[in-house]
Amino acid sequence: MLAGVPADQRVAVVDSAFVGHVHALRLALTDPRFDACAVTGAFAVQPGARAALDKAAALPAEGDAPYADRLAAAVEAAGTPVQRPELGTLVAAVPATDAERAAADAAVAAVDDEAVRLRTAVKSRDGFFTTFFISPYSRYIARWCARRGLTPNQVTTASLITALIAAACAATGERGGYIAAGVLLLVSFVLDCTDGQLARYSLQYSTMGAWLDATFDRAKEYSFYAGLALGAARNGDDVWALALGAMILMTCRHVVDFAFNEANHDATANTSPTAALSDKLDSVGWTVWVRRMIILPIGERWAMIAVLTAATTPRTVFYALLIGCSFGALYTTAGRVLRSLTRKAVRTDRAAQALADLADSGPVAALVARAAAVPARSLHLPFAVLGSAALLGAAWYEPFGSVTVVGAAALYAVLAGAAVARPLKGPLDWLLPPLFRAAEYVTVLALAVKADVPGALPAAFGLVAAVAYHHYDTVYRIRGGSGAPPRWLVWTIGGHDGRVLLTAALAAALATRATDFPVALTALAVFVALVVLVESIRFWVSSGAPAVHDEGEPA
């Protein structure tokens, strides 16, 4: 029977005496993330493990375990990993006697299969606002969507469209528009929670879905910032600098998270007194929620933005964002620095490569890294800090168009190259990517402010948004196990060092015609966006990366 099934089809073997919940079978047989998956009495493989299954089926049957279990054991023994989902209260059994069957039937009847399925559709670790104000009803919306054949990607797209409409409402600059924007932003967030719950409820995991969910979150939030800035401008209040500052802060904060996790997720001896203290605090229930709330995760952040948009002004929204997110960034970064300094971990080559990819070095930095004498590992961070400080100091304190800024940008590129000349395995080397992001983005902000001409800050916002998309895209490719974007793409858009040099050179070239600077920034933003989006869409649509999605809690 197995031989008659085409090799490109998923195939399952289920014992005819199986007793258990439908959702237990669903977890074993329909999860697309794993090549092989099993529970007692049921075993399924995708094309990637089909050859291993065929070999196992050709072996003589030995033992008295259910045939599906023997096949799974043989496939695993041959070297193919077999996922065995945690069932919790769900039942999956192959009874050998009438008494065992009666007991298994009673165990099945005692547990509400659908209630477990709904509960596990919700992530086990989420923010306070999401857990207590969204998930209690969004899971039922997810079930409603599943029963009508809607996919997580469709719900994700609906969330994006709702957020874009909210941004358009905010851009009207009218109180009614602000109120509508706040309400729609909350609706968008409900849909944002629903898409992941729908994926977990119906096991519709996909690489495309994970990418859309992650990138659309940033697109929604940053589009809303732009809408607020446009609305404020209609009332004579220019808050583009605040909007850009909020976007820079959020992006750098995310890069801190990504870089730290990539540097340490597979490190050996990955313990520290700081981590032990954190685990101890987690054992005290109320501290868990307080620590999750004070860093303003997406649920709390969007709720704050929505309420303040409806009740106050865009300027107030951005002040609250900058203050709240700055505190959260300082809190999390300080804790991670302490963990890094107090743990004695050995970073792997994979972690070092991930940090190098996140650094986003262009041709200038790469040339310096190859040509310069290899510095001591302990100098990685000092080189990066020195180059960033010189660049930001010149950008903020020198007049627009100063050649000093160009010189500082060149020094920054050289020192950035020296900083990544050796594998990034130092305890604090994960700080390099967020430091480079801050240096590049804040330089663009500073030059736009110094230009002091209409359109400069909106153009700078567009440029930083385009570059930030590239950096988020890099993160999710690495997370999906597909590696960084191709080197030609990074070099085509200059790398962080090349873009800084080009932006400083454009400012110097247009020193006497500052009104043309917004046009130059806009052209650069459009170029970067087109190159990055075309390659990103091509990759994710045709990607062979494994299907991924945030996990729910064990059943």
Side-chain angles (χ1 to χ4, degrees), residues 532-551:
V532 170
L533 280 172
V534 169
E535 162 56 21
S536 176
I537 293 171
R538 182 211 62 78
F539 170 80
W540 288 104
V541 168
S542 62
S543 174
V548 292
H549 209 287
D550 291 336
E551 286 283 0

Side-chain angles (χ1 to χ4, degrees), residues 88-162:
T89 57
L90 294 177
V91 176
V94 180
T97 66
D98 291 342
E100 290 178 355
R101 175 171 292 277
D105 286 335
V108 170
V111 176
D112 186 341
D113 178 275
E114 180 62 16
V116 172
R117 190 181 181 190
L118 274 173
R119 176 170 58 83
T120 55
V122 178
K123 286 196 294 186
S124 58
R125 182 179 177 86
D126 224 329
F128 180 87
F129 180 76
T130 303
T131 299
F132 294 104
F133 292 91
I134 304 296
S135 293
Y137 57 87
S138 62
R139 69 184 76 185
Y140 295 101
I141 300 175
R143 180 171 67 182
W144 183 89
C145 293
R147 290 178 175 177
R148 283 152 183 80
L150 298 177
T151 67
N153 290 353
Q154 290 171 332
V155 178
T156 301
T157 303
S159 176
L160 173 66
I161 293 172
T162 305

Side-chain angles (χ1 to χ4, degrees), residues 246-314:
M247 182 167 67
I248 291 171
L249 178 58
M250 286 308 308
T251 304
C252 291
R253 177 179 164 181
H254 288 143
V255 176
V256 167
D257 296 340
F258 299 144
F260 178 81
N261 290 334
E262 287 300 327
N264 292 287
H265 88 281
D266 60 351
T268 58
N270 203 6
T271 59
S272 75
T274 307
L277 174 61
S278 178
D279 293 339
K280 187 174 181 179
L281 287 174
D282 282 344
S283 66
V284 182
W286 64 270
T287 66
V288 175
W289 295 117
V290 170
R291 293 168 67 210
R292 290 185 192 177
M293 289 173 66
I294 62 176
I295 62 173
L296 274 186
I298 187 170
E300 278 76 359
R301 191 168 69 251
W302 281 30
M304 182 186 75
I305 293 172
V307 171
L308 291 179
T309 297
T312 64
T313 65

Side-chain angles (χ1 to χ4, degrees), residues 333-424:
T333 304
R336 286 166 178 171
V337 168
L338 286 174
R339 290 188 184 206
S340 300
L341 292 176
T342 56
R343 67 167 40 127
K344 296 180 179 179
V346 178
R347 271 77 181 183
T348 63
D349 291 338
R350 179 201 175 282
Q353 184 59 51
L355 291 182
D357 292 335
L358 289 173
D360 192 38
S361 298
V364 179
L367 181 62
V368 171
R370 284 198 297 266
V374 178
R377 185 174 297 160
S378 60
L379 293 179
H380 288 175
L381 188 58
F383 277 136
V385 170
L386 181 60
S388 299
L391 174 65
L392 294 177
W396 275 114
Y397 294 108
E398 290 294 320
F400 179 76
S402 171
V403 293
T404 303
V405 180
V406 180
L411 176 63
Y412 167 80
V414 170
L415 291 177
V420 297
R422 288 189 60 178
L424 300 178

